[in-house]
Amino acid sequence: MKVLVPVKRVLDYNVKPRVKADGTGVDLANVKMSMNPFDEIAVEEAIRLKEKGVATEIVVVSIGEQKAQETLRTALAMGADRAILITTEGPVEPLGVAKLLAKVAEEEQPGLIILGKQAIDDDNNQTGQMLGALLGWGQGTFANKVEVSGDSVDVTREVDGGLETVKLKTPAIVTTDLRLNEPRYASLPNIMKAKSKPLAAKTPADYGVDVTARLTVVKVVEPAKRTAGVKVADVDELVGKLKALGVVA
């Protein structure tokens, strides 16, 4: 089984985002960028499937600027076999990403597509679901556990009430949640080997997909600063303050 894993280059989760002075977006100049954490979990899960003998090849794909090569090389160093970079001038909206991934899937014919449930830069949580609709494949979102058996995959997913298990017929799509696994660190020998692994360069035009933006960012602002907490003398005072705020009747 071939596994396709889309990955995205985002602002590192340890970096505090700064809004541009003109409010047009987040300032990405001279800041650390890395693989989206949810996508890193997806890469790890694909590697574990290969180690179990379930997957035969892992293909990683990224859509973005030329610097996304670094992210793909990280995935290759972790254990992916080859990579595809679809170069674009600016950000691509989830629908555009899903359309490009659908074309890649038609070309590569994977048995499983594993991707992060969302990217930490825009938090849209849309691409996996849109991709499932475009391909007509079954999908298991927010995966907590993935088990492949023959031509089906059991996905235990996190829901509000606990856990739910769905059985999907392959080819299928799985989006990963945080508790699925703990991604490995790439060893130095593997980092060196990754430099010689195949990385194909493509553009949206190669797939006949229009990625023109349909949404306009009106303004980006930082969240309001949290005010200091207030100490109360007893339960009665606490209840009184909660009533005053309308939290309790």
Side-chain angles (χ1 to χ4, degrees):
M1 175 190 290
K2 182 188 294 186
V3 180
L4 182 68
V5 185
V7 297
K8 186 177 184 182
R9 181 176 183 264
V10 299
L11 182 69
D12 189 89
Y13 70 94
N14 288 310
V15 176
K16 181 177 173 14
R18 300 190 310 271
V19 176
K20 292 180 180 177
D22 58 3
T24 57
V26 176
D27 187 2
L28 299 179
N30 303 315
V31 295
K32 183 181 179 183
M33 305 291 284
S34 61
M35 189 189 304
N36 178 46
F38 291 101
D39 297 340
E40 199 171 11
I41 291 169
V43 174
E44 174 65 28
E45 191 63 22
I47 295 169
R48 293 188 183 191
L49 289 176
K50 187 176 180 181
E51 290 173 343
K52 292 176 183 176
V54 174
T56 54
E57 184 182 26
I58 301 170
V59 182
V60 289
V61 57
S62 189
I63 300 163
E65 59 184 27
Q66 198 66 29
K67 290 181 180 178
Q69 276 195 40
E70 301 167 9
T71 305
L72 289 171
R73 291 295 180 195
T74 299
L76 292 171
M78 288 174 67
D81 298 297
R82 57 187 176 89
I84 301 169
L85 174 60
I86 303 174
T87 309
T88 59
E89 294 297 325
V92 182
E93 294 170 358
L95 181 58
V97 174
K99 286 180 176 180
L100 285 170
L101 292 178
K103 292 293 185 180
V104 174
E106 290 172 7
E107 188 177 88
E108 294 289 339
Q109 293 293 308
L112 196 62
I113 299 178
I114 309 177
L115 65 161
K117 70 171 184 177
Q118 65 194 68
I120 63 171
D121 55 356
D122 53 26
D123 277 336
N124 280 319
N125 183 17
Q126 295 175 340
T127 303
Q129 292 88 331
M130 288 177 171
L131 181 58
L134 289 171
L135 292 173
W137 293 6
Q139 56 181 286
T141 55
F142 315 119
N144 175 276
K145 186 178 181 181
V146 177
E147 294 180 308
V148 179
S149 177
D151 62 350
S152 66
V153 53
D154 290 343
V155 179
T156 301
R157 53 191 304 270
E158 299 190 5
V159 295
D160 291 341
L163 299 175
E164 173 188 67
T165 301
V166 294
K167 182 181 285 291
L168 310 172
K169 184 178 179 181
T170 57
I173 295 169
V174 174
T175 71
T176 62
D177 216 326
L178 281 175
R179 283 159 290 278
L180 178 58
N181 61 50
E182 184 70 32
R184 70 193 65 192
Y185 289 101
S187 64
L188 183 58
N190 285 341
I191 292 173
M192 300 305 292
K193 289 177 184 177
K195 294 179 180 180
S196 61
K197 288 185 177 180
L199 195 158
K202 299 281 189 176
T203 66
D206 293 332
Y207 296 103
V209 175
D210 179 12
V211 293
T212 304
R214 291 170 170 78
L215 304 175
T216 302
V217 176
V218 177
K219 190 176 182 182
V220 177
V221 296
E222 291 191 15
K225 296 188 183 303
R226 295 180 65 178
T227 56
V230 179
K231 289 184 178 181
V232 294
D234 51 39
V235 174
D236 291 337
E237 185 182 353
L238 173 61
V239 173
K241 287 184 177 293
L242 291 175
K243 286 182 177 179
L245 292 170
V247 178
V248 296

